[in-house]
Amino acid sequence: MSEPGRPSAQAREPGAAEAPPGRAAVLRSGALGRLGEMRHLGLFVAIGLLVIVGLVTKPDNFATTSNVVSMLSLAATIGVITVGATFVIIGGGIDLSVGAIMALASVWATTLATQEFGPFVMAVCAILVGTGAGLVNGLLIAYGRLVPFIATLAMLVAARGLAQRMSDRKTQLIQTGNSAIVDLSTTRVLGIPLLVYVFALVVVLGWILLNRTTFGRRTYAVGGNPEAARLAGIDVRRHTMLLYALSGLCCGIAAILIMARTTTGSSTHGDLYELDAIAAVIIGGTLLTGGRGTIIGSILGLLIFTLITNLFILNGLNTSDQLIAKGLIIVVAVLLQRRNLKERAP
């Protein structure tokens, strides 16, 4: 019995039976599906332990409403990017440019020329810029045959540089007439900011897309065995392009959320967000080689990193120590993945 959300090789596409079964199809079958559920249980345990640490070390600050809301708001922005990164990595790729694309989208949306048309146009601008930059990544990788690492690294540098040039390295404030953007952060429903609900909606839509649509089945197929997917009739290059466009779309939505939180557009937004997003996806159990992963796992990984960051801040620990800790966690997670794959190999 396969794990929900991880279709078997036979269910991917009509004619898939003619293609040789990929390694990812084996990994996603039978008992391995149950192992995936156990991995999620482990993530819940890790979150519980971090909560206990927070309650013990900072009982007066950690469990307060303001701190919980602050963590949710921070997780919302990075979380939207994490959803897009999950699709890309399951599809066998990597995107190092997500933070820079978000910064570019926020700067473009907060220029005076854009703000003159109101908050709706600002939001549409951010989404279009993010999607467009992601589409460029996809075209370079799928049709230009560039290695994803190189293509997205180039986009990281170029998008950050373009954002700096457009803003003249200055922070651009959202004008008072466009307060509808800021309202996403200040307006609360049941005590929770609207931007958290936007994040939740993106997660739900991402889960449905990955687990209940042909697009999701093709994503697993392309990441698990591109050649088998091609023989099954999937246009691998077009699908790869769409995955990066989807990642860019998520960056555009995240740009709206960070504009709401900070009331600004800046070329410095999203610095090292690619680290947090990719780390959350890896901690959540998605294979770096593609073909396996879940949205839920990525979100749990994101919550773990958000809690770690919050605990470091509350306990007054150095920011550089946070980065060291995150780097070590990523290395350990990848080593565990490699070990598990070796143990499961026939």
Side-chain angles (χ1 to χ4, degrees):
M1 181 177 179
S2 61
E3 182 179 352
R6 295 179 185 175
S8 63
Q10 290 81 3
R12 285 175 181 169
E13 289 293 321
E18 300 175 4
R23 178 189 179 95
V26 177
L27 293 178
R28 289 197 299 272
S29 63
L32 298 184
R34 292 189 291 275
L35 287 175
E37 295 175 0
M38 292 176 62
R39 182 178 62 252
H40 286 174
L41 178 60
L43 294 174
F44 278 112
V45 171
I47 290 173
L49 292 175
L50 289 172
V51 170
I52 292 174
V53 171
L55 293 175
V56 171
T57 59
K58 289 293 179 180
D60 297 330
N61 299 325
F62 181 77
T64 61
T65 301
S66 61
N67 186 56
V68 172
V69 170
S70 176
M71 283 192 290
L72 289 175
S73 298
L74 175 62
T77 306
I78 304 177
V80 172
I81 292 177
T82 300
V83 171
T86 302
F87 277 88
V88 169
I89 296 177
I90 289 177
I94 194 75
D95 192 348
L96 303 178
S97 63
V98 289
I101 290 176
M102 186 189 73
L104 176 61
S106 74
V107 167
W108 208 318
T110 53
T111 59
L112 293 177
T114 304
Q115 292 201 51
E116 289 179 356
F117 293 96
F120 177 76
V121 172
M122 291 173 63
V124 171
C125 177
I127 291 174
L128 290 178
V129 170
T131 306
L135 187 60
V136 171
N137 277 336
L139 288 171
L140 291 174
I141 294 166
Y143 294 96
R145 300 189 181 279
L146 289 182
V147 177
F149 179 87
I150 299 299
T152 58
L153 180 63
M155 177 59 74
L156 182 156
V157 177
R160 190 74 71 179
L162 181 57
Q164 292 175 354
R165 186 176 182 86
M166 290 184 66
S167 63
D168 195 24
R169 297 179 180 269
K170 298 177 181 178
T171 300
Q172 299 176 165
L173 299 176
I174 295 180
Q175 298 176 345
T176 54
N178 298 318
S179 58
I181 296 286
V182 182
D183 289 344
L184 290 174
S185 179
T186 57
T187 301
R188 299 189 178 188
V189 177
L190 301 177
I192 300 176
L194 288 177
L195 59 84
V196 177
Y197 290 100
V198 174
F199 165 50
L201 178 61
V202 171
V203 171
V204 171
L205 293 177
W207 185 90
I208 293 173
L209 182 62
L210 185 61
N211 297 281
R212 294 292 183 265
T213 68
T214 301
F215 184 88
R217 292 192 293 272
R218 290 177 176 176
T219 299
Y220 282 111
V222 169
N225 191 327
E227 181 60 21
R230 185 186 66 81
L231 294 175
I234 299 175
D235 189 334
V236 174
R237 290 192 295 180
R238 183 179 66 181
H239 192 81
T240 299
M241 177 189 70
L242 292 177
L243 287 176
Y244 284 94
L246 177 61
S247 178
L249 170 64
C250 290
C251 292
I253 297 173
I256 298 173
L257 299 187
I258 201 167
M259 287 189 296
R261 284 180 51 221
T262 63
T263 70
T264 65
S266 173
S267 60
T268 61
H269 282 333
D271 187 30
L272 293 182
Y273 272 27
E274 57 277 358
L275 167 66
D276 289 336
I278 295 173
V281 174
I282 296 171
I283 296 300
T286 298
L287 290 181
L288 275 175
T289 52
R292 197 184 83 187
T294 64
I295 294 291
I296 300 302
S298 296
I299 299 307
L300 292 176
L302 169 68
L303 292 178
I304 289 175
F305 270 85
T306 303
L307 284 168
I308 291 174
T309 299
N310 186 256
L311 289 175
F312 269 78
I313 293 174
L314 291 180
N315 288 281
L317 299 178
N318 199 301
T319 304
S320 58
D321 294 333
Q322 296 181 38
L323 298 177
I324 294 173
K326 290 179 179 180
L328 290 175
I329 292 173
I330 295 172
V331 171
V332 171
V334 173
L335 290 176
L336 288 175
Q337 280 189 2
R338 294 181 60 183
R339 178 183 176 184
N340 290 336
L341 284 176
K342 289 180 180 179
E343 290 178 353
R344 298 171 189 176

